[in-house]
Amino acid sequence: MNKNTCAKTPPMGWNSWDCYGASVNEEQIKGNAEYMAKYLKEFGWEYVVCDIQWYEPKANSTEYNHFYPLAMDEYSRLIPAINRFPSAADGAGFAPIATYIHNLGLKFGIHIMRGIPRQAVHAATKIKGSTATARDIAQSFSVCSWNTDMYGINYKADGAQAYYNSLFELYAKWGVDFVKVDDICNTEFKPLDPYSAKEEIEMIRRAIDSCGREMVLSLSPGPAVLETAEHLSTYANMWRITGDFWDNWSQLYQMFDRCNEWSSYVKEGCWPDCDMLPIGHIGINKPGYNGMERMSNFTKDEQMTMLTLWCIFRSPLMVGAELRDNDEWTRSLLTNKELLRLLKHSFGARQVLRTSDTVVWASNDEDGSKYVAFFNTSFSQTNPEVTFTNLGLRGTYMVRDLWEHKEIGTVTTRISATVNIHGARIFKLTAI
């Protein structure tokens, strides 16, 4: 199986984390899927992803409950908590929700942590397809620093690959199309380390390839280590190049460097991931933290900058908002056909220019036209320009503004723009 065929262009979808943290439930998953089908599907949005802790009955916020009992089957595999996902009763798992989402013309995804549940290890529960138990394959010293659910896996142990195979066999049975694996991406691969994420990623890849169903493999958290890029490109479809990304300018500013560093690794089936889009209504389910519930703290110009950078770089797009609360502005960001064409049909994106107050990117469209994006990283309005020499262009071009959706004239030697504070302008240049 060629893993690149299921992600020929950057995946686009919704993920529950930014709005519901660890506490998302069935109604919220289905409700956001219904919105996507009605308003966004025609623009290329298709994945509905249930993020972390769907197997924890007591989860009720973004905060993690340490060492709480988890819903699990006899083969050491975590299953949906029935009190939060009622359709999972009687062993159905996520199959009913996946079917519901598929019937909307969309695809379904889940989040998992690397490794095996600690409670399975302590109880020495069975592993399907092996005589080994959970205790036999665990690395007790390999733990996540921010979540207490799992132990890492000793990839050399008998039963280790069988465990991962059994997981993805179950996910295929449920109808899962996308798997986000956490606590595995931002590790420097060192051959002498007793634990290496490298081998666990490879086990996961083999398990997907043998399960009989195509699934996008997304790795988190970031930042991924640049030296591991070739390995990530070989085994994953997406990998995070940043830590958790939220709605503040300092993090958005840092993304210019990250995108520049990773731009040469963007190709079919291999998508360095800028993380989720914190726009719209987010931070909802945080009991005791009501001050965190908000509409995005990004200004409108900053939101345009984020979408423009993500699209010209060709990052996957995952919205984190409660979609049903979108205002017209937020919906307009997600339904800009001209910008989304850039995401789906461009190639060769590169940073052309970087100064104290300006970043310029350029890219190419499959139809032969060119894209130029201006970004203002300062705290005052700017008027940058870039020459055709910088862009590698000759001739006369018609210029179209992709945010304003209008043609603004012709250029022959240079292109310039007035750019708002922390804002972006993106143009498509067509030879005439």
Side-chain angles (χ1 to χ4, degrees), residues 307-335:
L307 264 294
T308 303
L309 180 61
W310 269 229
C311 285
I312 198 166
F313 173 70
R314 303 193 76 196
S315 170
L317 299 184
M318 289 287 164
V319 187
E322 168 49 78
L323 296 176
R324 294 170 291 185
D325 294 342
N326 280 353
D327 55 19
E328 286 301 315
W329 167 258
T330 304
R331 190 190 300 181
S332 74
L333 293 173
L334 305 178
T335 56

Side-chain angles (χ1 to χ4, degrees), residues 79-98:
I79 56 177
I82 295 172
N83 63 316
R84 294 168 54 198
F85 303 93
S87 68
D90 301 321
F94 272 130
I97 291 179

Side-chain angles (χ1 to χ4, degrees), residues 85 138 140 170 185 215 222 227 260 306 318 320 341 383 388 399:
F85 303 93
S140 61
L170 179 63
C185 185
M215 298 181 194
E227 288 72 21
N260 186 39
M306 177 174 57
M318 289 287 164
R341 177 179 175 83
N383 295 279
F388 274 24
V399 181

Side-chain angles (χ1 to χ4, degrees), residues 24-87:
V24 69
N25 61 37
E26 182 164 344
E27 184 279 329
Q28 292 157 350
I29 293 287
K30 288 182 175 179
N32 279 275
E34 291 162 1
Y35 180 98
M36 183 181 290
K38 183 174 181 179
Y39 296 108
L40 304 180
K41 182 174 68 172
E42 66 177 289
F43 298 92
W45 300 90
E46 60 178 343
Y47 290 97
V48 177
V49 181
C50 178
D51 210 88
I52 196 167
Q53 303 303 117
W54 41 265
Y55 37 79
E56 185 193 336
K58 297 293 186 180
N60 64 359
S61 74
T62 297
E63 307 302 317
Y64 298 118
N65 297 318
H66 299 309
F67 304 108
Y68 272 46
L70 310 176
M72 188 177 77
D73 73 6
E74 62 179 313
Y75 294 115
S76 310
R77 301 177 298 189
L78 297 175
I79 56 177
I82 295 172
N83 63 316
R84 294 168 54 198
F85 303 93
S87 68

